[in-house]
Amino acid sequence: MRKFSKRSLNNLEGVHPKLRAVVEAALQKSEVDFTVVEGLRTYERQVQLKKDGFSKTLKSYHLKQSDGYGHAVDLYPYYNGSVQVEPDKEKWLMINKAMMECAEELGVNLTWGGNWKSIVDQPHYQIEFNQKIEL
């Protein structure tokens, strides 16, 4: 049974419990280990990411939403003893497969940034826009 590092657990703090449950289940199901690089983020960090060109919006799902939780996480493969920022596409697809299967099992509709057209963001998962989710 895989376990998240202390860093990943800290990065899951403030993430919506349903999304957190998907991430935790996917860690067990995924064919490749992964780490949580970012969950809930501050508005100041979002402003900096936009300024630096890493984000196109100040309305990120990583920010605290109306229910008090962040609705997005960034996941990276972990193998060969470190976080793999530029892994081969197969590794992203392994994580995505586990995330989407677990999301379906837990009744959470997710959007994967790897499917986006304007800016492909393979590490990014967010609760689907306008989905009402109960705790």
Side-chain angles (χ1 to χ4, degrees):
M1 182 163 124
R2 291 188 188 133
K3 292 185 179 189
F4 281 120
S5 67
K6 186 174 183 175
R7 178 180 173 218
S8 285
L9 291 173
N10 287 340
N11 290 338
L12 283 170
E13 288 183 20
V15 170
H16 193 283
K18 292 253 179 162
L19 178 54
R20 183 179 178 137
V22 171
V23 173
E24 290 171 345
L27 180 66
Q28 301 312 313
K29 187 173 271 202
S30 177
E31 294 179 51
V32 63
D33 195 6
F34 62 85
T35 186
V36 181
V37 172
E38 194 156 27
L40 181 66
R41 72 174 62 130
T42 65
Y43 184 76
E44 292 75 23
R45 174 148 170 74
Q46 187 64 34
V47 168
Q48 190 63 49
L49 289 169
K50 186 172 188 280
K51 181 180 174 186
D52 293 343
F54 293 108
S55 180
K56 293 188 180 236
T57 184
L58 292 178
K59 295 182 181 181
S60 171
Y61 281 70
H62 283 281
L63 298 171
K64 192 178 286 187
Q65 302 298 303
S66 61
D67 61 6
Y69 296 104
H71 288 195
V73 291
D74 290 339
L75 309 175
Y76 283 84
Y78 185 94
Y79 57 93
N80 294 335
S82 64
V83 176
Q84 302 296 314
V85 179
E86 306 254 350
D88 61 62
K89 186 174 181 174
E90 182 180 326
K91 303 293 192 238
W92 294 117
L93 293 174
M94 288 177 186
I95 294 170
N96 184 57
K97 180 176 185 270
M99 284 291 290
M100 292 305 168
E101 286 176 5
C102 292
E104 185 174 337
E105 290 167 8
L106 295 171
V108 178
N109 293 323
L110 289 186
T111 297
W112 178 40
N115 287 333
W116 292 346
K117 303 295 182 227
S118 63
I119 179 172
V120 177
D121 189 359
Q122 292 180 318
H124 185 85
Y125 292 86
Q126 68 185 38
I127 296 171
E128 200 166 283
F129 181 70
N130 284 338
Q131 179 185 348
K132 181 174 169 86
I133 51 176
E134 304 295 327
L135 293 176

PDB file of all heavy atoms in Angstrom, residues 78-99:
ATOM      1  N   TYR A  78       6.154  10.207  -9.592  1.00  0.00           N
ATOM      2  CA  TYR A  78       7.322  10.084  -8.722  1.00  0.00           C
ATOM      3  C   TYR A  78       7.945   8.721  -8.988  1.00  0.00           C
ATOM      4  O   TYR A  78       7.343   7.689  -8.734  1.00  0.00           O
ATOM      5  CB  TYR A  78       6.899  10.200  -7.254  1.00  0.00           C
ATOM      6  CG  TYR A  78       8.069  10.213  -6.304  1.00  0.00           C
ATOM      7  CD1 TYR A  78       8.612  11.412  -5.887  1.00  0.00           C
ATOM      8  CD2 TYR A  78       8.631   9.045  -5.831  1.00  0.00           C
ATOM      9  CE1 TYR A  78       9.695  11.447  -5.018  1.00  0.00           C
ATOM     10  CE2 TYR A  78       9.717   9.060  -4.976  1.00  0.00           C
ATOM     11  CZ  TYR A  78      10.244  10.261  -4.567  1.00  0.00           C
ATOM     12  OH  TYR A  78      11.315  10.286  -3.712  1.00  0.00           O
ATOM     13  N   TYR A  79       9.142   8.743  -9.562  1.00  0.00           N
ATOM     14  CA  TYR A  79       9.876   7.504  -9.785  1.00  0.00           C
ATOM     15  C   TYR A  79      11.356   7.843  -9.954  1.00  0.00           C
ATOM     16  O   TYR A  79      11.718   9.018 -10.040  1.00  0.00           O
ATOM     17  CB  TYR A  79       9.332   6.705 -10.979  1.00  0.00           C
ATOM     18  CG  TYR A  79       9.289   7.420 -12.307  1.00  0.00           C
ATOM     19  CD1 TYR A  79      10.333   7.320 -13.211  1.00  0.00           C
ATOM     20  CD2 TYR A  79       8.188   8.190 -12.668  1.00  0.00           C
ATOM     21  CE1 TYR A  79      10.289   7.973 -14.436  1.00  0.00           C
ATOM     22  CE2 TYR A  79       8.133   8.843 -13.886  1.00  0.00           C
ATOM     23  CZ  TYR A  79       9.195   8.728 -14.764  1.00  0.00           C
ATOM     24  OH  TYR A  79       9.154   9.380 -15.969  1.00  0.00           O
ATOM     25  N   ASN A  80      12.187   6.826  -9.958  1.00  0.00           N
ATOM     26  CA  ASN A  80      13.648   7.025  -9.987  1.00  0.00           C
ATOM     27  C   ASN A  80      14.103   7.934  -8.850  1.00  0.00           C
ATOM     28  O   ASN A  80      15.048   8.700  -8.988  1.00  0.00           O
ATOM     29  CB  ASN A  80      14.131   7.576 -11.330  1.00  0.00           C
ATOM     30  CG  ASN A  80      13.929   6.603 -12.466  1.00  0.00           C
ATOM     31  OD1 ASN A  80      13.876   5.398 -12.255  1.00  0.00           O
ATOM     32  ND2 ASN A  80      13.806   7.120 -13.672  1.00  0.00           N
ATOM     33  N   GLY A  81      13.374   7.875  -7.730  1.00  0.00           N
ATOM     34  CA  GLY A  81      13.770   8.611  -6.535  1.00  0.00           C
ATOM     35  C   GLY A  81      13.442  10.084  -6.500  1.00  0.00           C
ATOM     36  O   GLY A  81      13.898  10.785  -5.605  1.00  0.00           O
ATOM     37  N   SER A  82      12.647  10.571  -7.468  1.00  0.00           N
ATOM     38  CA  SER A  82      12.320  12.001  -7.438  1.00  0.00           C
ATOM     39  C   SER A  82      11.050  12.313  -8.223  1.00  0.00           C
ATOM     40  O   SER A  82      10.554  11.489  -9.005  1.00  0.00           O
ATOM     41  CB  SER A  82      13.477  12.833  -7.990  1.00  0.00           C
ATOM     42  OG  SER A  82      13.687  12.544  -9.351  1.00  0.00           O
ATOM     43  N   VAL A  83      10.556  13.523  -8.005  1.00  0.00           N
ATOM     44  CA  VAL A  83       9.409  14.031  -8.757  1.00  0.00           C
ATOM     45  C   VAL A  83       9.847  14.219 -10.199  1.00  0.00           C
ATOM     46  O   VAL A  83      10.889  14.809 -10.467  1.00  0.00           O
ATOM     47  CB  VAL A  83       8.926  15.373  -8.175  1.00  0.00           C
ATOM     48  CG1 VAL A  83       7.806  15.957  -9.018  1.00  0.00           C
ATOM     49  CG2 VAL A  83       8.496  15.216  -6.731  1.00  0.00           C
ATOM     50  N   GLN A  84       9.054  13.727 -11.122  1.00  0.00           N
ATOM     51  CA  GLN A  84       9.374  13.821 -12.551  1.00  0.00           C
ATOM     52  C   GLN A  84       8.533  14.931 -13.177  1.00  0.00           C
ATOM     53  O   GLN A  84       7.354  14.763 -13.429  1.00  0.00           O
ATOM     54  CB  GLN A  84       9.108  12.483 -13.242  1.00  0.00           C
ATOM     55  CG  GLN A  84       9.888  11.333 -12.660  1.00  0.00           C
ATOM     56  CD  GLN A  84      11.387  11.503 -12.833  1.00  0.00           C
ATOM     57  OE1 GLN A  84      11.864  11.853 -13.911  1.00  0.00           O
ATOM     58  NE2 GLN A  84      12.137  11.260 -11.773  1.00  0.00           N
ATOM     59  N   VAL A  85       9.158  16.067 -13.388  1.00  0.00           N
ATOM     60  CA  VAL A  85       8.455  17.233 -13.925  1.00  0.00           C
ATOM     61  C   VAL A  85       8.157  17.061 -15.410  1.00  0.00           C
ATOM     62  O   VAL A  85       7.145  17.537 -15.907  1.00  0.00           O
ATOM     63  CB  VAL A  85       9.274  18.513 -13.665  1.00  0.00           C
ATOM     64  CG1 VAL A  85       8.580  19.738 -14.239  1.00  0.00           C
ATOM     65  CG2 VAL A  85       9.503  18.690 -12.170  1.00  0.00           C
ATOM     66  N   GLU A  86       9.006  16.339 -16.131  1.00  0.00           N
ATOM     67  CA  GLU A  86       8.824  16.135 -17.572  1.00  0.00           C
ATOM     68  C   GLU A  86       8.847  14.642 -17.912  1.00  0.00           C
ATOM     69  O   GLU A  86       9.675  14.200 -18.700  1.00  0.00           O
ATOM     70  CB  GLU A  86       9.927  16.860 -18.349  1.00  0.00           C
ATOM     71  CG  GLU A  86      10.051  18.310 -18.009  1.00  0.00           C
ATOM     72  CD  GLU A  86       9.507  19.224 -19.073  1.00  0.00           C
ATOM     73  OE1 GLU A  86       9.202  18.750 -20.174  1.00  0.00           O
ATOM     74  OE2 GLU A  86       9.389  20.412 -18.786  1.00  0.00           O
ATOM     75  N   PRO A  87       7.929  13.854 -17.321  1.00  0.00           N
ATOM     76  CA  PRO A  87       7.933  12.420 -17.623  1.00  0.00           C
ATOM     77  C   PRO A  87       7.368  12.157 -19.021  1.00  0.00           C
ATOM     78  O   PRO A  87       6.791  13.046 -19.645  1.00  0.00           O
ATOM     79  CB  PRO A  87       7.006  11.839 -16.565  1.00  0.00           C
ATOM     80  CG  PRO A  87       6.047  12.944 -16.293  1.00  0.00           C
ATOM     81  CD  PRO A  87       6.851  14.220 -16.411  1.00  0.00           C
ATOM     82  N   ASP A  88       7.506  10.914 -19.456  1.00  0.00           N
ATOM     83  CA  ASP A  88       6.902  10.583 -20.745  1.00  0.00           C
ATOM     84  C   ASP A  88       5.379  10.578 -20.601  1.00  0.00           C
ATOM     85  O   ASP A  88       4.838  10.447 -19.514  1.00  0.00           O
ATOM     86  CB  ASP A  88       7.436   9.248 -21.274  1.00  0.00           C
ATOM     87  CG  ASP A  88       7.127   8.079 -20.364  1.00  0.00           C
ATOM     88  OD1 ASP A  88       5.928   7.792 -20.142  1.00  0.00           O
ATOM     89  OD2 ASP A  88       8.078   7.429 -19.884  1.00  0.00           O
ATOM     90  N   LYS A  89       4.717  10.745 -21.711  1.00  0.00           N
ATOM     91  CA  LYS A  89       3.256  10.881 -21.727  1.00  0.00           C
ATOM     92  C   LYS A  89       2.565   9.672 -21.091  1.00  0.00           C
ATOM     93  O   LYS A  89       1.518   9.808 -20.472  1.00  0.00           O
ATOM     94  CB  LYS A  89       2.774  11.081 -23.165  1.00  0.00           C
ATOM     95  CG  LYS A  89       1.305  11.370 -23.261  1.00  0.00           C
ATOM     96  CD  LYS A  89       0.874  11.710 -24.664  1.00  0.00           C
ATOM     97  CE  LYS A  89      -0.610  12.024 -24.673  1.00  0.00           C
ATOM     98  NZ  LYS A  89      -1.081  12.494 -25.947  1.00  0.00           N
ATOM     99  N   GLU A  90       3.141   8.516 -21.223  1.00  0.00           N
ATOM    100  CA  GLU A  90       2.554   7.294 -20.665  1.00  0.00           C
ATOM    101  C   GLU A  90       2.322   7.415 -19.156  1.00  0.00           C
ATOM    102  O   GLU A  90       1.318   6.957 -18.645  1.00  0.00           O
ATOM    103  CB  GLU A  90       3.467   6.106 -20.963  1.00  0.00           C
ATOM    104  CG  GLU A  90       2.932   4.791 -20.464  1.00  0.00           C
ATOM    105  CD  GLU A  90       3.869   3.638 -20.778  1.00  0.00           C
ATOM    106  OE1 GLU A  90       4.532   3.653 -21.822  1.00  0.00           O
ATOM    107  OE2 GLU A  90       3.932   2.723 -19.943  1.00  0.00           O
ATOM    108  N   LYS A  91       3.246   8.050 -18.451  1.00  0.00           N
ATOM    109  CA  LYS A  91       3.114   8.213 -16.996  1.00  0.00           C
ATOM    110  C   LYS A  91       1.934   9.115 -16.647  1.00  0.00           C
ATOM    111  O   LYS A  91       1.181   8.847 -15.712  1.00  0.00           O
ATOM    112  CB  LYS A  91       4.405   8.763 -16.385  1.00  0.00           C
ATOM    113  CG  LYS A  91       5.633   7.932 -16.666  1.00  0.00           C
ATOM    114  CD  LYS A  91       5.600   6.580 -16.005  1.00  0.00           C
ATOM    115  CE  LYS A  91       6.949   5.921 -16.074  1.00  0.00           C
ATOM    116  NZ  LYS A  91       7.003   4.662 -16.717  1.00  0.00           N
ATOM    117  N   TRP A  92       1.767  10.214 -17.407  1.00  0.00           N
ATOM    118  CA  TRP A  92       0.606  11.087 -17.172  1.00  0.00           C
ATOM    119  C   TRP A  92      -0.690  10.309 -17.403  1.00  0.00           C
ATOM    120  O   TRP A  92      -1.654  10.465 -16.649  1.00  0.00           O
ATOM    121  CB  TRP A  92       0.627  12.291 -18.103  1.00  0.00           C
ATOM    122  CG  TRP A  92       1.738  13.266 -17.892  1.00  0.00           C
ATOM    123  CD1 TRP A  92       2.720  13.562 -18.788  1.00  0.00           C
ATOM    124  CD2 TRP A  92       2.004  14.075 -16.747  1.00  0.00           C
ATOM    125  NE1 TRP A  92       3.566  14.501 -18.263  1.00  0.00           N
ATOM    126  CE2 TRP A  92       3.158  14.841 -17.012  1.00  0.00           C
ATOM    127  CE3 TRP A  92       1.375  14.224 -15.510  1.00  0.00           C
ATOM    128  CZ2 TRP A  92       3.682  15.757 -16.101  1.00  0.00           C
ATOM    129  CZ3 TRP A  92       1.909  15.125 -14.598  1.00  0.00           C
ATOM    130  CH2 TRP A  92       3.044  15.868 -14.895  1.00  0.00           C
ATOM    131  N   LEU A  93      -0.691   9.491 -18.461  1.00  0.00           N
ATOM    132  CA  LEU A  93      -1.902   8.724 -18.782  1.00  0.00           C
ATOM    133  C   LEU A  93      -2.210   7.689 -17.711  1.00  0.00           C
ATOM    134  O   LEU A  93      -3.384   7.419 -17.428  1.00  0.00           O
ATOM    135  CB  LEU A  93      -1.766   8.066 -20.152  1.00  0.00           C
ATOM    136  CG  LEU A  93      -1.717   9.041 -21.334  1.00  0.00           C
ATOM    137  CD1 LEU A  93      -1.421   8.287 -22.636  1.00  0.00           C
ATOM    138  CD2 LEU A  93      -3.005   9.846 -21.447  1.00  0.00           C
ATOM    139  N   MET A  94      -1.199   7.119 -17.087  1.00  0.00           N
ATOM    140  CA  MET A  94      -1.417   6.163 -15.996  1.00  0.00           C
ATOM    141  C   MET A  94      -2.082   6.847 -14.799  1.00  0.00           C
ATOM    142  O   MET A  94      -3.018   6.302 -14.207  1.00  0.00           O
ATOM    143  CB  MET A  94      -0.087   5.551 -15.553  1.00  0.00           C
ATOM    144  CG  MET A  94       0.506   4.577 -16.527  1.00  0.00           C
ATOM    145  SD  MET A  94       2.108   4.025 -15.869  1.00  0.00           S
ATOM    146  CE  MET A  94       2.697   3.062 -17.237  1.00  0.00           C
ATOM    147  N   ILE A  95      -1.588   8.020 -14.458  1.00  0.00           N
ATOM    148  CA  ILE A  95      -2.192   8.762 -13.348  1.00  0.00           C
ATOM    149  C   ILE A  95      -3.616   9.156 -13.699  1.00  0.00           C
ATOM    150  O   ILE A  95      -4.542   8.999 -12.898  1.00  0.00           O
ATOM    151  CB  ILE A  95      -1.350  10.003 -12.988  1.00  0.00           C
ATOM    152  CG1 ILE A  95       0.009   9.570 -12.441  1.00  0.00           C
ATOM    153  CG2 ILE A  95      -2.086  10.886 -11.976  1.00  0.00           C
ATOM    154  CD1 ILE A  95       1.001  10.699 -12.271  1.00  0.00           C
ATOM    155  N   ASN A  96      -3.814   9.654 -14.925  1.00  0.00           N
ATOM    156  CA  ASN A  96      -5.152  10.068 -15.341  1.00  0.00           C
ATOM    157  C   ASN A  96      -6.137   8.904 -15.304  1.00  0.00           C
ATOM    158  O   ASN A  96      -7.274   9.064 -14.858  1.00  0.00           O
ATOM    159  CB  ASN A  96      -5.111  10.687 -16.736  1.00  0.00           C
ATOM    160  CG  ASN A  96      -6.468  11.198 -17.134  1.00  0.00           C
ATOM    161  OD1 ASN A  96      -7.058  12.023 -16.452  1.00  0.00           O
ATOM    162  ND2 ASN A  96      -6.995  10.687 -18.225  1.00  0.00           N
ATOM    163  N   LYS A  97      -5.720   7.750 -15.754  1.00  0.00           N
ATOM    164  CA  LYS A  97      -6.601   6.581 -15.748  1.00  0.00           C
ATOM    165  C   LYS A  97      -7.065   6.277 -14.326  1.00  0.00           C
ATOM    166  O   LYS A  97      -8.261   6.091 -14.069  1.00  0.00           O
ATOM    167  CB  LYS A  97      -5.872   5.373 -16.346  1.00  0.00           C
ATOM    168  CG  LYS A  97      -6.691   4.105 -16.395  1.00  0.00           C
ATOM    169  CD  LYS A  97      -5.900   2.987 -17.095  1.00  0.00           C
ATOM    170  CE  LYS A  97      -6.725   1.748 -17.267  1.00  0.00           C
ATOM    171  NZ  LYS A  97      -6.631   0.818 -16.166  1.00  0.00           N
ATOM    172  N   ALA A  98      -6.138   6.268 -13.387  1.00  0.00           N
ATOM    173  CA  ALA A  98      -6.485   5.993 -11.989  1.00  0.00           C
ATOM    174  C   ALA A  98      -7.382   7.094 -11.418  1.00  0.00           C
ATOM    175  O   ALA A  98      -8.367   6.810 -10.724  1.00  0.00           O
ATOM    176  CB  ALA A  98      -5.221   5.846 -11.156  1.00  0.00           C
ATOM    177  N   MET A  99      -7.060   8.343 -11.708  1.00  0.00           N
ATOM    178  CA  MET A  99      -7.866   9.459 -11.195  1.00  0.00           C
ATOM    179  C   MET A  99      -9.296   9.395 -11.717  1.00  0.00           C
ATOM    180  O   MET A  99     -10.252   9.556 -10.947  1.00  0.00           O
ATOM    181  CB  MET A  99      -7.223  10.799 -11.583  1.00  0.00           C
ATOM    182  CG  MET A  99      -6.020  11.174 -10.761  1.00  0.00           C
ATOM    183  SD  MET A  99      -6.400  11.578  -9.041  1.00  0.00           S
ATOM    184  CE  MET A  99      -7.268  13.148  -9.236  1.00  0.00           C
TER     185      MET A  99
END
